[in-house]
């Protein structure tokens, strides 16, 4: 992979990119309140199911858009996905994230003028809903990523956002003071040597 392409991929995967992914839990919050999830084991099962659903439902759209990153293909994929998403909450989340990704990507990836042109043409046209998976694939294709890289990237950001939601919902196992321990004592020992360094950049 060329350096420029690799840099663009890291930008696309950066959690700081404001695409709204952290505002959605992929149904995790509802699953917790329905008592389907009560601990780390249930969470692991949930994440696996989310990734399986993503792979079977959304990756085909990412793949197709990556392989044919043009306006006509994007519109067709967007309409098809809009018809397939029967869950209204999930549908709105897909549109919100896709719209945010397209809005952010156009100026971030300014080296691809076609991206801004596609967005300008499509805004207010009523012919596209801006679903997330096709837009993600479209951007990957325009950036020159291959289909394998784009699909892996989509699975990564999906898992990242679910795990982030789990962290904010406090699903990780709690530990009492009695259970507190040093799991890597060597690291603690090395840090204790910091004060003896002749020259140092950090305080500890």
């Amino acid at each position: 992979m060329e350096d420029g392409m690799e840099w663009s991929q890291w930008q696309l995967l950066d959690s700081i990119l404001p695409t709204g992914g952290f505002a959605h839990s992929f149904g995790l919050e509802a699953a917790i309140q329905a008592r389907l999830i009560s601990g780390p084991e249930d969470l692991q099962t949930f994440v696996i199911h989310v990734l399986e659903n993503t792979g079977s439902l959304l990756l085909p759209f990412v793949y197709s858009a990556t392989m044919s990153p043009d306006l006509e293909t994007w519109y067709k994929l967007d309409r098809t996905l809009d018809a397939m998403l029967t869950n209204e909450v999930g549908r709105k989340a897909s549109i919100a994230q896709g719209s945010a990704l397209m809005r952010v990507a156009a100026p971030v990836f300014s080296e691809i003028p076609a991206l801004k042109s596609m967005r300008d043409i499509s805004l207010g046209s009523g012919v596209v809903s801006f679903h997330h998976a096709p837009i993600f694939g479209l951007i990957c294709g325009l950036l020159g990523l291959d289909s394998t890289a784009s699909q892996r990237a989509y699975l990564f950001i999906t898992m990242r956002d679910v795990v982030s939601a789990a962290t904010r919902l406090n699903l990780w196992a709690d530990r009492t003071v009695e259970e507190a321990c040093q799991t890597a004592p060597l690291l603690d020992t090395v840090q204790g040597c910091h004060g003896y360094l002749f020259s140092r950049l950090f305080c500890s």
Side-chain angles (χ1 to χ4, degrees):
M1 183 179 292
E2 297 178 2
D3 291 342
M5 191 186 303
E6 186 174 3
W7 173 250
S8 296
Q9 184 178 14
W10 284 119
Q11 284 183 297
L12 188 59
L13 297 179
D14 197 335
S15 60
I16 300 177
L17 197 67
T19 59
F22 291 161
H24 305 280
S25 72
F26 295 84
L28 180 61
E29 188 171 21
I32 293 171
Q33 294 198 25
R35 300 187 184 279
L36 297 175
I37 297 176
S38 58
E41 295 79 12
D42 297 331
L43 174 61
Q44 180 179 353
T45 301
F46 181 88
V47 172
I48 291 172
H49 288 167
V50 168
L51 292 177
E52 288 175 344
N53 277 342
T54 299
S56 61
L57 176 62
L58 299 178
L59 285 193
F61 291 89
V62 175
Y63 169 82
S64 298
T66 302
M67 296 300 292
S68 302
D70 57 76
L71 198 65
E72 183 180 355
T73 302
W74 171 35
Y75 283 3
K76 180 180 178 181
L77 292 173
D78 186 86
R79 288 193 297 268
T80 303
L81 183 56
D82 193 65
M84 292 179 68
L85 292 176
T86 55
N87 172 359
E88 185 63 17
V89 174
R91 180 178 169 277
K92 288 181 178 179
S94 175
I95 292 172
Q97 289 180 267
S99 299
L101 177 58
M102 193 62 154
R103 182 181 65 250
V104 170
V108 168
F109 303 113
S110 56
E111 69 273 18
I112 308 173
L115 195 56
K116 185 178 185 302
S117 299
M118 288 182 180
R119 179 176 182 266
D120 292 343
I121 293 170
S122 304
L123 278 176
S125 65
V127 299
V128 63
S129 298
F130 289 92
H131 281 289
H132 188 249
I135 289 177
F136 189 90
L138 173 71
I139 294 169
C140 287
L142 292 173
L143 287 173
L145 273 66
D146 61 52
S147 59
T148 299
S150 65
Q151 290 178 89
R152 286 176 175 172
Y154 197 79
L155 283 175
F156 168 77
I157 64 170
T158 299
M159 183 173 67
R160 177 200 69 193
D161 292 350
V162 175
V163 171
S164 173
T167 302
R168 284 173 288 145
L169 289 167
N170 198 29
L171 265 185
W172 302 112
D174 295 324
R175 292 179 180 269
T176 63
V177 173
E178 289 75 19
E179 297 175 295
C181 64
Q182 282 277 9
T183 57
L186 179 60
L187 297 182
D188 189 55
T189 303
V190 171
Q191 184 183 25
C193 298
H194 191 273
Y196 299 104
L197 298 180
F198 178 75
S199 61
R200 56 193 175 197
L201 182 63
F202 298 99
C203 295
S204 63

